[in-house]
Amino acid sequence: MSGSTGRPLGRRTFVLGSAAAAGTAALTGPLAATASAAGFGWSDDGSNYVVDTGASLVFKVSKTNGDLTSLVYKGTEYQGYGGKNSHVESGLGTSTVTIAQSGSTILVAVAYGTLKHYYAARSGENNVYLWTNKADSSVTATRYIVRVKAGLFLNDEPDSYTYAPTVIESADVFEKSDGQTRAKHYSRLRVMDYDCIGWTTGSVGLWMVRSNHEKASGGPFYRSLLRHQSADGGGLYEILYYGENQTESERYGLQGPYVIAFTDGGAPSSSLYPGTLTTSWADSLGISGYVAAGGRGRVAGVGISGRDTAYAYTVGLANSAAQYWGSARSSDGYFSIAGVLPGTYTLTVFKGELAVYTGSVSVSAGSTTTLNTLAIPSSNDPSNASAIWRINNWDGTPGGFKNADLMTYMHPSDVRAASWTGNVVIGSGTETSGFPCYLWKDVNSGIIVYFRLTAAQAAAAHTLRIGVTTAYANGRPQVVVNDTWTSAVPSPPTQPSTRSLTVGSYRGNNHTFTYSVPASAWLTDTSAYNTLKIYVASGSGTTSYLSAGTAIDAIDLLA
């Protein structure tokens, strides 16, 4: 984790292939295969449309169901493992598949009920551009997966799915013989941290470049499947909607372009990345739901005041139809978010991942909405409250707590994780690093915080705050002070209903629990340590790491 606070992850990108050339005539229907570069064109082998990009890439699309059945780069077949093709979800079934070519662009269109999917090739490029338009809930389509043959790329990184001898959870989390854990869920990266994901041998790279995720859900900090590799082969994902620890409803509409890109393993241009990819050549292709640049607007903010400059700030836009985000400049908080569909959005400013400002902004096609300096009220940042003591700082993540830097790419039972116990003493200097990032009812409930109070502090009532970032099975903290005062069990806040803490995600709905502790609860002996015991309350969950649990952001006792 990076930054002066050791908390939010830094951006991680992989450089991809050549940029798309601009400009093309409209596609008006299937045309005879022609070539505007050596070899560029398409043919029909009876079962598939065969597209030659005129570079080093030839791919095939099934005329029956729209699967990508072959992906040949420089004479080597990369498509396929376990007898499966690359496709939307696990395959669409019988579909209407058509192909059209005009000048330097070939488009394959797949229609399956209300769902529309597209593949495009550009003359001289080793890229396949994809769009998927899921119009409603009638079709289950939450991903596109590129299935890669085994043995072509070596990979056993922590964010890679590697089948192992022992299944330890839900048939999708595994433990290797050395005690390390693997699961397809463990991605390390938030959406805003990466532009693409893939593999390279040093001479060949195969990558999935993500779309701008405007029709996805979960916001900039969401984590989902990225890639996996096993004995059968590998997979690269573009997630259109992922339900695991999801905080938002599914959005519908066109997602893309996302890109399957081959490189020579070097350091090519980043011009395929979301936000920099120019697709004016696709404006007239007739892609369902496509909105060209001229039909979009931009939001620009002069700055953000009231920031804690130790943290990165992100500005998000969201409504029921779309989502966007951008980073605020560290010097003054200036931000610019382009390519936004017209509409009215909730604008949220995040300190780290903690919402500290919300407002509303309207966007019109072809224009920029300029905002004056946004002022974050002091009371909106809980770090500004005067505290007798505080464990960790408030930024909407468990970063800094024990094991927090590991939990996005391993199971809590992993041999690399430190013990989940963690009684701490205020003033020791290890309060944060010694306190576990997650608490479970069946694992470490009842962790103790020891602290002293002055006579004046012990004579007054105080507010205790515990901030959480998500919860599993309605887990929430109940506290006991000096074994004499017990808080009520708080009501559970709205949180995702799926697994979270064991599948690499602490990102749910941030919530602050407050407890009014009376003066009678404190010890009057100023040399003695008061004790705060934090329990996890819930009647849900099962056992161990699937018992009710929660992820901690910060804990403090207010003055």
Side-chain angles (χ1 to χ4, degrees), residues 105-129:
T105 303
I106 295 172
L107 182 73
V108 179
V110 182
Y112 179 78
T114 61
L115 185 140
K116 306 293 188 294
H117 180 71
Y118 304 90
Y119 303 89
R122 297 281 291 161
S123 177
E125 296 184 11
N126 293 314
N127 307 317
V128 183
Y129 299 87

Side-chain angles (χ1 to χ4, degrees), residues 65 91-96 110-117 133 138-140:
N65 57 20
L92 293 177
T94 302
S95 306
T96 300
V110 182
Y112 179 78
T114 61
L115 185 140
K116 306 293 188 294
H117 180 71
N133 187 340
S138 64
V139 179
T140 300

Side-chain angles (χ1 to χ4, degrees), residues 175-194:
E175 183 179 75
K176 300 174 64 178
S177 58
D178 62 2
Q180 293 191 14
T181 53
R182 297 289 189 269
K184 63 184 178 181
H185 309 284
Y186 299 152
S187 67
R188 288 182 182 258
L189 304 176
R190 305 169 302 178
V191 176
M192 68 178 294
D193 294 326
Y194 75 96

Side-chain angles (χ1 to χ4, degrees), residues 8-12 142-143 184-195 210-226 237-251 255 314 316 323-325 350 352-354 396-397 408 469-470 495-501 503-510:
L9 283 165
R11 189 170 182 80
R12 178 180 176 188
T142 58
R143 67 181 182 183
K184 63 184 178 181
H185 309 284
Y186 299 152
S187 67
R188 288 182 182 258
L189 304 176
R190 305 169 302 178
V191 176
M192 68 178 294
D193 294 326
Y194 75 96
D195 292 310
R210 70 168 176 86
S211 69
N212 68 354
H213 279 221
E214 71 179 1
K215 295 293 185 178
S217 298
F221 314 124
Y222 191 68
R223 287 178 168 85
S224 62
L225 310 187
L226 295 180
Y237 295 90
E238 167 69 348
I239 296 298
L240 309 177
Y241 177 79
Y242 191 47
E244 204 80 74
N245 208 35
Q246 180 59 255
T247 59
E248 295 185 297
S249 299
E250 184 172 8
R251 293 182 172 94
Q255 300 207 56
T314 301
Q323 62 170 10
Y324 307 90
W325 58 83
F350 298 92
E353 298 183 16
L354 182 67
T397 85
T408 61
T469 68
T470 195
Q495 295 289 5
S497 59
T498 63
R499 289 178 296 165
S500 53
L501 309 180
V503 291
S505 178
Y506 60 77
R507 174 79 273 125
N509 294 311
N510 286 99

